[in-house]
Coordinates of all heavy atoms in Angstrom, one line a residue:
M1 N -9.3 19.2 24.7 CA -9.0 18.7 23.3 C -7.7 19.2 22.9 O -7.4 20.4 22.9 CB -10.2 19.2 22.4 CG -10.0 18.7 21.0 SD -11.6 19.1 20.2 CE -11.2 18.9 18.6
S2 N -6.9 18.3 22.4 CA -5.5 18.8 22.0 C -5.5 19.1 20.5 O -6.2 18.4 19.7 CB -4.5 17.7 22.3 OG -4.8 16.5 21.6
T3 N -4.6 20.0 20.1 CA -4.5 20.3 18.7 C -3.2 19.6 18.2 O -2.2 19.6 18.9 CB -4.4 21.8 18.5 OG1 -3.3 22.3 19.2 CG2 -5.7 22.5 18.9
P4 N -3.3 19.0 17.0 CA -2.1 18.3 16.5 C -1.0 19.3 16.1 O -1.2 20.4 15.6 CB -2.6 17.6 15.3 CG -3.9 18.3 14.9 CD -4.4 18.9 16.1
V5 N 0.2 18.9 16.4 CA 1.4 19.7 16.1 C 2.1 19.1 14.9 O 2.1 17.9 14.8 CB 2.3 19.8 17.4 CG1 3.6 20.6 17.1 CG2 1.6 20.4 18.5
A6 N 2.7 19.9 14.1 CA 3.4 19.3 12.9 C 4.4 18.3 13.4 O 5.2 18.5 14.3 CB 4.1 20.4 12.1
G7 N 4.3 17.1 12.7 CA 5.3 16.0 13.1 C 4.8 15.1 14.1 O 5.4 14.1 14.4
R8 N 3.7 15.5 14.8 CA 3.2 14.6 15.9 C 1.8 14.2 15.5 O 1.1 14.9 14.9 CB 3.2 15.3 17.2 CG 4.6 15.6 17.7 CD 4.7 16.2 19.1 NE 3.5 16.2 19.9 CZ 3.4 17.0 20.9 NH1 4.4 17.8 21.3 NH2 2.3 17.1 21.6
R9 N 1.4 13.0 15.9 CA 0.1 12.4 15.6 C -0.8 12.8 16.8 O -0.5 12.8 17.9 CB 0.2 10.9 15.4 CG 1.1 10.6 14.3 CD 1.2 9.1 14.2 NE -0.1 8.5 13.8 CZ -0.3 8.0 12.6 NH1 0.7 7.8 11.7 NH2 -1.5 7.5 12.3
D10 N -2.1 13.0 16.4 CA -3.1 13.3 17.4 C -3.5 11.9 18.1 O -3.9 11.0 17.4 CB -4.3 13.9 16.7 CG -5.4 14.3 17.7 OD1 -5.1 14.2 19.0 OD2 -6.5 14.7 17.3
P11 N -3.3 11.8 19.4 CA -3.6 10.5 20.0 C -5.1 10.1 20.0 O -5.4 9.0 20.2 CB -3.1 10.7 21.5 CG -3.1 12.2 21.7 CD -2.9 12.8 20.4
D12 N -6.0 11.1 19.8 CA -7.4 10.8 19.8 C -7.9 10.3 18.5 O -9.0 9.9 18.3 CB -8.2 12.1 20.2 CG -7.9 12.5 21.6 OD1 -7.5 11.6 22.4 OD2 -8.0 13.7 21.9
R13 N -7.2 10.5 17.5 CA -7.6 10.2 16.1 C -7.2 8.7 15.7 O -6.1 8.3 16.0 CB -6.9 11.1 15.1 CG -7.4 10.8 13.6 CD -6.7 11.8 12.7 NE -7.2 11.6 11.4 CZ -6.7 10.7 10.6 NH1 -5.7 9.9 10.9 NH2 -7.2 10.5 9.3
D14 N -8.1 8.0 15.2 CA -7.9 6.6 14.7 C -7.7 6.7 13.2 O -8.7 6.8 12.5 CB -9.1 5.8 15.1 CG -8.9 4.3 14.7 OD1 -7.8 3.9 14.3 OD2 -9.8 3.5 14.9
P15 N -6.5 6.5 12.8 CA -6.3 6.6 11.3 C -7.0 5.4 10.5 O -7.1 5.6 9.3 CB -4.7 6.5 11.2 CG -4.3 5.8 12.4 CD -5.3 6.2 13.5
G16 N -7.4 4.4 11.2 CA -8.1 3.3 10.5 C -9.5 3.6 10.1 O -10.0 2.9 9.2
L17 N -10.1 4.7 10.6 CA -11.5 5.0 10.3 C -11.6 5.7 9.0 O -12.6 5.6 8.3 CB -12.1 5.7 11.4 CG -12.3 5.0 12.7 CD1 -12.9 5.9 13.8 CD2 -13.2 3.7 12.5
Q18 N -10.7 6.6 8.6 CA -10.8 7.4 7.4 C -10.9 6.5 6.2 O -11.7 6.8 5.3 CB -9.6 8.4 7.3 CG -9.7 9.3 6.1 CD -11.0 10.2 6.2 OE1 -11.4 10.7 7.2 NE2 -11.7 10.3 5.1
P19 N -10.0 5.5 6.0 CA -10.1 4.7 4.8 C -11.5 4.0 4.7 O -12.0 3.8 3.7 CB -9.0 3.7 4.9 CG -7.9 4.4 5.7 CD -8.7 5.2 6.7
E20 N -12.0 3.6 5.9 CA -13.3 2.9 5.9 C -14.4 3.8 5.5 O -15.3 3.5 4.7 CB -13.5 2.3 7.3 CG -14.8 1.6 7.4 CD -15.1 1.0 8.8 OE1 -14.3 1.2 9.7 OE2 -16.2 0.4 8.9
R21 N -14.4 5.1 6.0 CA -15.4 6.0 5.6 C -15.3 6.3 4.1 O -16.3 6.5 3.4 CB -15.3 7.3 6.4 CG -15.7 7.2 7.9 CD -15.8 8.6 8.5 NE -14.6 9.3 8.5 CZ -13.7 9.3 9.5 NH1 -13.9 8.5 10.6 NH2 -12.6 10.0 9.5
T22 N -14.1 6.5 3.6 CA -13.9 6.7 2.2 C -14.4 5.6 1.3 O -15.0 5.7 0.3 CB -12.4 7.0 1.9 OG1 -12.0 8.1 2.7 CG2 -12.2 7.4 0.4
R23 N -14.1 4.4 1.8 CA -14.5 3.2 1.1 C -16.1 3.1 1.1 O -16.7 2.8 0.0 CB -14.0 1.9 1.8 CG -14.2 0.6 1.0 CD -13.4 -0.6 1.6 NE -13.8 -0.9 2.9 CZ -13.1 -0.7 4.0 NH1 -11.8 -0.3 3.9 NH2 -13.5 -1.0 5.2
L24 N -16.7 3.4 2.2 CA -18.2 3.4 2.2 C -18.8 4.5 1.3 O -19.8 4.3 0.7 CB -18.7 3.6 3.6 CG -18.4 2.4 4.6 CD1 -18.7 2.8 6.0 CD2 -19.2 1.2 4.1
A25 N -18.1 5.7 1.2 CA -18.6 6.7 0.3 C -18.4 6.3 -1.1 O -19.3 6.6 -1.9 CB -17.7 8.0 0.6
W26 N -17.4 5.6 -1.5 CA -17.3 5.1 -2.8 C -18.4 4.1 -3.1 O -19.0 4.1 -4.2 CB -15.9 4.4 -3.1 CG -14.9 5.4 -3.5 CD1 -13.9 5.9 -2.7 CD2 -14.7 6.0 -4.7 NE1 -13.1 6.7 -3.4 CE2 -13.6 6.8 -4.7 CE3 -15.4 5.9 -5.9 CZ2 -13.2 7.6 -5.7 CZ3 -14.9 6.6 -7.0 CH2 -13.9 7.4 -6.9
R27 N -18.7 3.3 -2.2 CA -19.8 2.3 -2.4 C -21.2 3.0 -2.5 O -22.0 2.6 -3.4 CB -19.9 1.3 -1.2 CG -18.7 0.4 -1.2 CD -18.8 -0.6 -0.1 NE -17.6 -1.4 0.0 CZ -17.4 -2.6 -0.4 NH1 -18.3 -3.2 -1.0 NH2 -16.2 -3.2 -0.2
R28 N -21.4 4.0 -1.7 CA -22.6 4.8 -1.9 C -22.7 5.5 -3.2 O -23.8 5.5 -3.9 CB -22.8 5.9 -0.8 CG -23.2 5.3 0.6 CD -23.5 6.5 1.5 NE -22.4 7.4 1.6 CZ -21.5 7.4 2.5 NH1 -21.4 6.4 3.4 NH2 -20.6 8.4 2.6
T29 N -21.6 6.0 -3.7 CA -21.6 6.7 -5.0 C -21.8 5.7 -6.1 O -22.5 6.0 -7.1 CB -20.2 7.5 -5.2 OG1 -20.0 8.3 -4.0 CG2 -20.2 8.2 -6.4
T30 N -21.2 4.5 -6.0 CA -21.4 3.5 -7.0 C -22.9 3.1 -7.0 O -23.4 2.8 -8.1 CB -20.5 2.3 -6.7 OG1 -19.1 2.7 -6.7 CG2 -20.7 1.2 -7.8
L31 N -23.5 3.0 -5.9 CA -24.9 2.6 -5.8 C -25.8 3.7 -6.5 O -26.7 3.4 -7.3 CB -25.3 2.4 -4.4 CG -26.8 2.1 -4.2 CD1 -27.2 0.8 -4.8 CD2 -27.1 2.0 -2.7
S32 N -25.4 4.9 -6.3 CA -26.1 6.0 -6.9 C -26.0 6.0 -8.4 O -26.9 6.2 -9.2 CB -25.7 7.4 -6.4 OG -25.9 7.5 -5.0
G33 N -24.8 5.7 -8.9 CA -24.5 5.5 -10.3 C -25.3 4.4 -10.9 O -25.8 4.4 -12.0
T34 N -25.5 3.3 -10.2 CA -26.2 2.1 -10.6 C -27.7 2.5 -10.8 O -28.4 2.2 -11.7 CB -26.1 1.0 -9.6 OG1 -24.7 0.7 -9.4 CG2 -26.9 -0.2 -10.0
V35 N -28.2 3.3 -9.8 CA -29.6 3.8 -9.9 C -29.8 4.6 -11.2 O -30.8 4.5 -11.9 CB -30.0 4.5 -8.6 CG1 -31.4 5.2 -8.8 CG2 -30.1 3.5 -7.5
V36 N -28.8 5.5 -11.4 CA -28.9 6.4 -12.6 C -28.9 5.5 -13.9 O -29.7 5.8 -14.8 CB -27.7 7.4 -12.6 CG1 -27.6 8.1 -13.9 CG2 -27.9 8.4 -11.5
A37 N -28.0 4.5 -13.9 CA -28.0 3.6 -15.1 C -29.3 2.9 -15.3 O -29.8 2.8 -16.4 CB -26.8 2.7 -15.0
V38 N -29.9 2.4 -14.2 CA -31.2 1.7 -14.3 C -32.3 2.6 -14.8 O -33.1 2.3 -15.6 CB -31.5 1.0 -13.0 CG1 -32.9 0.5 -13.0 CG2 -30.6 -0.1 -12.7
L39 N -32.3 3.8 -14.2 CA -33.3 4.8 -14.6 C -33.1 5.2 -16.1 O -34.1 5.5 -16.8 CB -33.3 6.0 -13.7 CG -33.8 5.8 -12.3 CD1 -33.6 7.0 -11.5 CD2 -35.2 5.3 -12.3
A40 N -31.9 5.3 -16.6 CA -31.6 5.6 -18.0 C -32.2 4.5 -18.9 O -32.8 4.8 -19.9 CB -30.1 5.8 -18.2
V41 N -32.0 3.2 -18.5 CA -32.6 2.1 -19.3 C -34.1 2.2 -19.3 O -34.8 2.1 -20.3 CB -32.1 0.8 -18.7 CG1 -32.9 -0.4 -19.3 CG2 -30.6 0.6 -18.9
K42 N -34.7 2.5 -18.1 CA -36.1 2.7 -18.0 C -36.6 3.8 -18.9 O -37.6 3.7 -19.6 CB -36.6 2.9 -16.6 CG -38.1 3.0 -16.4 CD -38.4 3.2 -15.0 CE -40.0 3.4 -14.9 NZ -40.4 4.1 -13.8
A43 N -35.9 5.0 -18.9 CA -36.3 6.1 -19.7 C -36.2 5.8 -21.2 O -37.0 6.3 -22.0 CB -35.5 7.3 -19.3
A44 N -35.2 5.1 -21.5 CA -34.9 4.8 -22.9 C -36.0 3.8 -23.5 O -36.4 3.9 -24.7 CB -33.6 4.2 -23.1
L45 N -36.5 2.9 -22.6 CA -37.5 1.9 -23.1 C -38.9 2.4 -22.9 O -39.9 1.8 -23.4 CB -37.2 0.6 -22.4 CG -35.9 0.0 -22.6 CD1 -35.7 -1.3 -21.8 CD2 -35.7 -0.3 -24.1
H46 N -39.1 3.4 -22.1 CA -40.5 3.9 -21.8 C -41.1 4.6 -23.0 O -40.5 5.5 -23.7 CB -40.5 4.9 -20.6 CG -41.8 5.4 -20.3 ND1 -42.7 4.6 -19.7 CD2 -42.4 6.6 -20.4 CE1 -43.8 5.3 -19.5 NE2 -43.7 6.5 -19.9
G47 N -42.3 4.1 -23.4 CA -43.0 4.8 -24.5 C -42.4 4.4 -25.9 O -42.5 5.2 -26.9
G48 N -41.8 3.2 -26.0 CA -41.2 2.8 -27.3 C -39.7 3.1 -27.3 O -39.2 4.0 -26.6
T49 N -39.1 2.4 -28.2 CA -37.6 2.6 -28.3 C -37.3 3.5 -29.6 O -38.0 3.3 -30.6 CB -36.9 1.3 -28.4 OG1 -37.4 0.6 -29.6 CG2 -37.1 0.5 -27.2
S50 N -36.3 4.3 -29.5 CA -35.8 5.0 -30.6 C -34.3 4.8 -30.7 O -33.7 4.4 -29.7 CB -36.1 6.5 -30.5 OG -35.3 7.0 -29.4
A51 N -33.7 5.0 -31.8 CA -32.3 4.8 -32.0 C -31.5 5.7 -31.1 O -30.5 5.3 -30.5 CB -31.9 5.0 -33.5
A52 N -31.9 6.9 -31.0 CA -31.2 7.9 -30.1 C -31.3 7.5 -28.7 O -30.3 7.6 -27.9 CB -31.7 9.3 -30.3
G53 N -32.4 7.0 -28.2 CA -32.6 6.5 -26.9 C -31.8 5.3 -26.5 O -31.2 5.2 -25.4
V54 N -31.7 4.4 -27.5 CA -30.9 3.2 -27.3 C -29.4 3.6 -27.2 O -28.7 3.0 -26.4 CB -31.2 2.2 -28.4 CG1 -30.2 1.0 -28.3 CG2 -32.6 1.7 -28.2
V55 N -29.0 4.4 -28.1 CA -27.6 4.8 -28.1 C -27.2 5.6 -26.7 O -26.2 5.3 -26.1 CB -27.3 5.7 -29.3 CG1 -25.9 6.4 -29.2 CG2 -27.3 5.0 -30.6
A56 N -28.1 6.5 -26.3 CA -27.8 7.2 -25.1 C -27.8 6.3 -23.9 O -27.0 6.4 -23.0 CB -28.9 8.3 -24.9
C57 N -28.7 5.3 -23.9 CA -28.8 4.3 -22.9 C -27.5 3.5 -22.9 O -26.9 3.2 -21.8 CB -30.0 3.4 -23.0 SG -30.2 2.1 -21.8
A58 N -27.0 3.0 -24.0 CA -25.8 2.2 -24.1 C -24.6 3.0 -23.7 O -23.8 2.5 -22.9 CB -25.6 1.8 -25.6
V59 N -24.5 4.3 -24.0 CA -23.4 5.1 -23.6 C -23.5 5.3 -22.1 O -22.4 5.2 -21.4 CB -23.4 6.5 -24.3 CG1 -22.5 7.5 -23.7 CG2 -23.1 6.3 -25.8
C60 N -24.6 5.5 -21.5 CA -24.8 5.6 -20.1 C -24.3 4.3 -19.4 O -23.6 4.4 -18.3 CB -26.2 5.9 -19.8 SG -26.5 6.4 -18.0
C61 N -24.7 3.2 -19.9 CA -24.3 1.9 -19.3 C -22.7 1.7 -19.4 O -22.1 1.2 -18.4 CB -25.0 0.8 -20.0 SG -26.7 0.7 -19.5
V62 N -22.1 2.1 -20.5 CA -20.7 2.0 -20.7 C -20.0 2.9 -19.6 O -19.0 2.6 -19.0 CB -20.3 2.3 -22.1 CG1 -18.8 2.5 -22.2 CG2 -20.7 1.2 -23.0
L63 N -20.5 4.1 -19.5 CA -20.0 5.1 -18.5 C -20.1 4.6 -17.1 O -19.2 4.7 -16.3 CB -20.6 6.4 -18.7 CG -20.3 7.2 -19.9 CD1 -21.3 8.4 -20.1 CD2 -18.9 7.7 -19.9
W64 N -21.2 3.9 -16.8 CA -21.4 3.3 -15.5 C -20.4 2.2 -15.2 O -19.8 2.2 -14.2 CB -22.8 2.8 -15.4 CG -23.0 2.0 -14.2 CD1 -23.2 2.4 -12.9 CD2 -23.1 0.6 -14.0 NE1 -23.3 1.4 -12.0 CE2 -23.3 0.2 -12.7 CE3 -23.1 -0.5 -15.0 CZ2 -23.4 -1.1 -12.2 CZ3 -23.2 -1.8 -14.5 CH2 -23.4 -2.1 -13.1
L65 N -20.1 1.4 -16.3 CA -19.1 0.4 -16.1 C -17.7 1.0 -15.9 O -17.0 0.4 -15.1 CB -19.1 -0.6 -17.3 CG -20.3 -1.5 -17.4 CD1 -20.3 -2.3 -18.8 CD2 -20.3 -2.5 -16.3
G66 N -17.4 2.1 -16.6 CA -16.2 2.8 -16.4 C -16.0 3.3 -14.9 O -15.0 3.1 -14.3
F67 N -17.1 3.9 -14.5 CA -17.1 4.4 -13.1 C -17.0 3.3 -12.1 O -16.2 3.3 -11.1 CB -18.3 5.3 -12.8 CG -18.3 5.9 -11.4 CD1 -17.6 7.0 -11.2 CD2 -18.9 5.3 -10.4 CE1 -17.5 7.6 -10.0 CE2 -18.8 5.8 -9.1 CZ -18.1 7.0 -8.9
L68 N -17.7 2.2 -12.4 CA -17.6 1.0 -11.5 C -16.2 0.4 -11.4 O -15.7 0.1 -10.3 CB -18.6 0.0 -12.0 CG -18.8 -1.3 -11.1 CD1 -19.5 -0.8 -9.8 CD2 -19.7 -2.3 -11.9
S69 N -15.5 0.5 -12.5 CA -14.1 0.0 -12.6 C -13.2 0.9 -11.7 O -12.4 0.4 -10.9 CB -13.6 -0.1 -14.0 OG -12.3 -0.4 -14.0
V70 N -13.3 2.2 -11.9 CA -12.5 3.1 -11.1 C -12.8 3.0 -9.6 O -11.9 2.9 -8.8 CB -12.7 4.6 -11.6 CG1 -12.1 5.6 -10.6 CG2 -12.2 4.7 -13.0
A71 N -14.1 2.9 -9.3 CA -14.5 2.8 -7.9 C -14.1 1.5 -7.3 O -13.6 1.4 -6.1 CB -16.0 2.9 -7.7
H72 N -14.2 0.4 -8.0 CA -13.8 -0.9 -7.5 C -12.2 -0.9 -7.2 O -11.8 -1.4 -6.2 CB -14.1 -2.0 -8.5 CG -13.8 -3.4 -8.0 ND1 -14.4 -4.0 -6.9 CD2 -12.8 -4.2 -8.4 CE1 -13.8 -5.2 -6.7 NE2 -12.9 -5.3 -7.6
R73 N -11.5 -0.4 -8.1 CA -10.0 -0.3 -7.9 C -9.7 0.5 -6.6 O -8.8 0.2 -5.9 CB -9.4 0.4 -9.1 CG -7.9 0.5 -9.0 CD -7.3 1.1 -10.3 NE -7.4 0.1 -11.3 CZ -7.7 0.3 -12.6 NH1 -7.9 1.5 -13.0 NH2 -7.8 -0.7 -13.4
R74 N -10.4 1.6 -6.4 CA -10.1 2.5 -5.3 C -10.6 1.8 -4.0 O -9.9 1.8 -2.9 CB -10.8 3.8 -5.4 CG -10.4 4.8 -4.3 CD -9.0 5.0 -4.3 NE -8.6 5.9 -3.2 CZ -7.4 6.0 -2.7 NH1 -6.4 5.4 -3.3 NH2 -7.1 6.8 -1.7
V75 N -11.7 1.1 -4.0 CA -12.2 0.4 -2.8 C -11.2 -0.7 -2.4 O -10.9 -0.9 -1.2 CB -13.6 -0.2 -3.1 CG1 -14.0 -1.2 -2.0 CG2 -14.6 0.9 -3.1
R76 N -10.7 -1.4 -3.4 CA -9.7 -2.5 -3.1 C -8.5 -1.9 -2.5 O -7.9 -2.4 -1.6 CB -9.4 -3.3 -4.4 CG -10.5 -4.3 -4.7 CD -10.2 -5.2 -5.8 NE -8.9 -5.7 -5.8 CZ -8.3 -6.2 -6.9 NH1 -8.9 -6.3 -8.0 NH2 -7.0 -6.6 -6.8
A77 N -8.0 -0.7 -3.1 CA -6.8 -0.1 -2.5 C -7.0 0.3 -1.1 O -6.1 0.2 -0.3 CB -6.4 1.1 -3.4
L78 N -8.2 0.8 -0.8 CA -8.5 1.3 0.6 C -8.6 0.1 1.5 O -8.3 0.2 2.7 CB -9.8 2.1 0.6 CG -9.7 3.5 0.0 CD1 -11.1 4.1 -0.2 CD2 -8.8 4.4 0.7
A79 N -9.1 -1.0 1.0 CA -9.3 -2.2 1.9 C -8.0 -3.0 2.2 O -7.9 -3.6 3.2 CB -10.3 -3.1 1.3
T80 N -7.1 -2.9 1.3 CA -5.9 -3.8 1.4 C -4.7 -3.1 2.1 O -3.9 -3.8 2.7 CB -5.4 -4.3 0.0 OG1 -5.1 -3.2 -0.8 CG2 -6.4 -5.1 -0.7
A81 N -4.6 -1.8 2.1 CA -3.5 -1.2 2.7 C -3.8 -0.5 4.0 O -4.9 0.1 4.1 CB -2.9 -0.1 1.7
A82 N -3.0 -0.5 4.9 CA -3.2 0.2 6.2 C -3.1 1.7 6.0 O -3.9 2.4 6.6 CB -2.1 -0.3 7.2
S83 N -2.2 2.1 5.1 CA -2.1 3.5 4.8 C -2.2 3.6 3.2 O -1.2 3.5 2.6 CB -0.8 4.1 5.3 OG -0.7 5.4 4.9
P84 N -3.4 3.7 2.7 CA -3.5 3.7 1.2 C -2.8 4.8 0.5 O -2.7 5.9 1.1 CB -5.0 3.7 1.0 CG -5.6 4.3 2.2 CD -4.7 3.9 3.3
A85 N -2.4 4.6 -0.7 CA -1.8 5.6 -1.5 C -2.8 6.7 -1.9 O -4.0 6.4 -1.9 CB -1.1 5.0 -2.7
A86 N -2.4 7.8 -2.3 CA -3.2 8.9 -2.7 C -3.9 8.5 -4.0 O -3.4 7.7 -4.8 CB -2.4 10.1 -2.9
F87 N -5.1 9.0 -4.2 CA -5.9 8.7 -5.4 C -5.2 9.3 -6.6 O -4.9 10.5 -6.6 CB -7.3 9.2 -5.2 CG -8.3 8.7 -6.2 CD1 -8.3 7.4 -6.6 CD2 -9.3 9.5 -6.6 CE1 -9.2 6.9 -7.5 CE2 -10.2 9.1 -7.5 CZ -10.2 7.7 -7.9
A88 N -4.9 8.5 -7.6 CA -4.2 9.1 -8.8 C -5.0 10.1 -9.5 O -6.2 9.9 -9.7 CB -3.8 7.9 -9.7
P89 N -4.4 11.2 -10.0 CA -5.2 12.2 -10.7 C -5.9 11.7 -11.9 O -7.0 12.1 -12.3 CB -4.1 13.3 -11.1 CG -3.1 13.1 -10.1 CD -3.1 11.6 -9.7
R90 N -5.3 10.7 -12.6 CA -6.0 10.2 -13.8 C -7.2 9.4 -13.5 O -8.2 9.4 -14.2 CB -5.0 9.4 -14.7 CG -4.5 8.2 -14.1 CD -3.5 7.5 -14.9 NE -3.0 6.3 -14.3 CZ -2.9 5.1 -14.8 NH1 -3.2 5.0 -16.1 NH2 -2.5 4.1 -14.1
H91 N -7.2 8.7 -12.4 CA -8.3 8.0 -11.9 C -9.4 8.9 -11.5 O -10.6 8.7 -11.7 CB -8.0 7.0 -10.8 CG -7.1 5.9 -11.3 ND1 -6.1 5.3 -10.5 CD2 -7.1 5.2 -12.4 CE1 -5.5 4.4 -11.2 NE2 -6.1 4.3 -12.4
A92 N -9.0 10.0 -10.8 CA -10.0 11.0 -10.3 C -10.7 11.6 -11.5 O -11.9 11.9 -11.6 CB -9.3 12.0 -9.4
A93 N -9.8 12.0 -12.5 CA -10.4 12.6 -13.8 C -11.3 11.6 -14.5 O -12.4 12.0 -15.0 CB -9.2 13.0 -14.7
A94 N -11.0 10.3 -14.5 CA -11.9 9.3 -15.1 C -13.2 9.2 -14.4 O -14.2 9.2 -15.0 CB -11.2 8.0 -15.2
A95 N -13.1 9.3 -13.1 CA -14.4 9.2 -12.3 C -15.3 10.4 -12.5 O -16.5 10.3 -12.7 CB -14.1 9.1 -10.8
V96 N -14.7 11.6 -12.6 CA -15.4 12.8 -12.8 C -16.0 12.8 -14.3 O -17.1 13.2 -14.5 CB -14.5 14.1 -12.6 CG1 -15.1 15.3 -13.1 CG2 -14.2 14.2 -11.1
L97 N -15.2 12.4 -15.2 CA -15.6 12.3 -16.6 C -16.8 11.4 -16.7 O -17.8 11.8 -17.4 CB -14.5 11.9 -17.5 CG -14.9 11.7 -19.0 CD1 -15.1 13.1 -19.6 CD2 -13.8 11.0 -19.7
C98 N -16.7 10.2 -16.2 CA -17.8 9.3 -16.2 C -19.1 9.8 -15.6 O -20.2 9.7 -16.1 CB -17.5 7.9 -15.6 SG -16.3 7.0 -16.5
T99 N -18.9 10.5 -14.4 CA -20.1 11.0 -13.7 C -20.8 12.2 -14.5 O -22.0 12.2 -14.7 CB -19.7 11.6 -12.3 OG1 -19.0 10.5 -11.6 CG2 -20.8 12.1 -11.5
V100 N -20.0 13.1 -15.0 CA -20.6 14.2 -15.8 C -21.2 13.7 -17.1 O -22.3 14.1 -17.4 CB -19.5 15.3 -16.0 CG1 -20.0 16.3 -17.0 CG2 -19.1 15.9 -14.7
A101 N -20.5 12.8 -17.7 CA -21.0 12.3 -19.0 C -22.3 11.5 -18.8 O -23.3 11.6 -19.6 CB -20.0 11.5 -19.7
M102 N -22.4 10.8 -17.7 CA -23.6 10.0 -17.3 C -24.7 11.0 -17.1 O -25.9 10.7 -17.5 CB -23.3 9.1 -16.2 CG -24.3 8.0 -16.1 SD -24.1 6.7 -14.8 CE -22.4 6.9 -14.2
A103 N -24.5 12.1 -16.4 CA -25.5 13.1 -16.1 C -26.0 13.7 -17.4 O -27.2 13.9 -17.6 CB -25.0 14.1 -15.2
L104 N -25.1 13.9 -18.4 CA -25.5 14.5 -19.6 C -26.3 13.5 -20.5 O -27.3 13.9 -21.1 CB -24.3 14.9 -20.4 CG -23.5 16.1 -19.8 CD1 -22.2 16.4 -20.6 CD2 -24.4 17.3 -19.8
C105 N -26.0 12.2 -20.4 CA -26.7 11.2 -21.1 C -28.1 11.1 -20.5 O -29.1 11.0 -21.2 CB -26.0 9.9 -21.1 SG -24.7 9.8 -22.2
G106 N -28.2 11.2 -19.2 CA -29.5 11.1 -18.5 C -30.3 12.3 -18.9 O -31.5 12.2 -19.1
A107 N -29.7 13.5 -18.9 CA -30.5 14.7 -19.4 C -31.0 14.5 -20.8 O -32.1 15.0 -21.1 CB -29.6 15.9 -19.2
A108 N -30.1 14.0 -21.6 CA -30.6 13.8 -23.1 C -31.7 12.8 -23.2 O -32.6 13.0 -24.0 CB -29.3 13.3 -23.9
L109 N -31.7 11.8 -22.3 CA -32.8 10.8 -22.3 C -34.1 11.5 -21.8 O -35.2 11.2 -22.3 CB -32.5 9.6 -21.5 CG -31.6 8.6 -22.1 CD1 -31.1 7.6 -21.1 CD2 -32.2 7.9 -23.3
V110 N -34.0 12.4 -20.8 CA -35.2 13.0 -20.3 C -35.8 14.0 -21.3 O -37.0 14.2 -21.5 CB -34.9 13.6 -18.9 CG1 -36.1 14.5 -18.5 CG2 -34.6 12.6 -17.9
L111 N -34.9 14.7 -21.9 CA -35.4 15.8 -22.9 C -35.8 15.1 -24.1 O -36.5 15.2 -24.9 CB -34.3 16.8 -23.1 CG -33.8 17.6 -21.9 CD1 -32.7 18.5 -22.2 CD2 -35.0 18.4 -21.3

């Protein structure tokens, strides 16, 4: 097994696989977010509706749409370019914000 040297490419590594794995990871994460949003709707509607439950559910759905937008943009960038650009810090921050806020909304619905 050879070790890569600075400035030289490893002949055993296929650079085309990394973007594909990353794209699949984004799809799995989006699917997980979709499940969370559906469960939030179910929790908000279970046992009657309340104003707080509907608001938390609506916020969770908006956050899911925001995460879906960021993920879709990244998946398209990974699919179209042979060597995709680095993930922009503002997009990464938006994805993290949506994920954490969605978790907080889910926790508020459960409690």
Side-chain angles (χ1 to χ4, degrees):
M1 182 168 167
S2 64
T3 58
V5 178
R8 291 186 10 198
R9 298 176 71 111
D10 186 7
D12 297 331
R13 183 178 181 276
D14 182 6
L17 293 178
Q18 183 61 44
E20 181 180 357
R21 286 192 301 268
T22 305
R23 189 171 61 247
L24 291 172
W26 274 104
R27 290 181 191 259
R28 284 190 306 269
T29 306
T30 303
L31 179 62
S32 298
T34 303
V35 170
V36 168
V38 168
L39 290 176
V41 170
K42 182 181 178 204
L45 299 178
H46 182 69
T49 59
S50 67
V54 171
V55 168
C57 179
V59 169
C60 191
C61 289
V62 168
L63 291 167
W64 171 73
L65 287 173
F67 183 82
L68 188 65
S69 172
V70 171
H72 181 69
R73 179 176 290 141
R74 187 61 184 162
V75 166
R76 282 185 42 197
L78 290 168
T80 58
S83 179
F87 196 38
R90 66 184 178 133
H91 292 144
V96 168
L97 177 70
C98 288
T99 304
V100 170
M102 200 176 341
L104 292 174
C105 284
L109 282 170
V110 170
L111 299 177

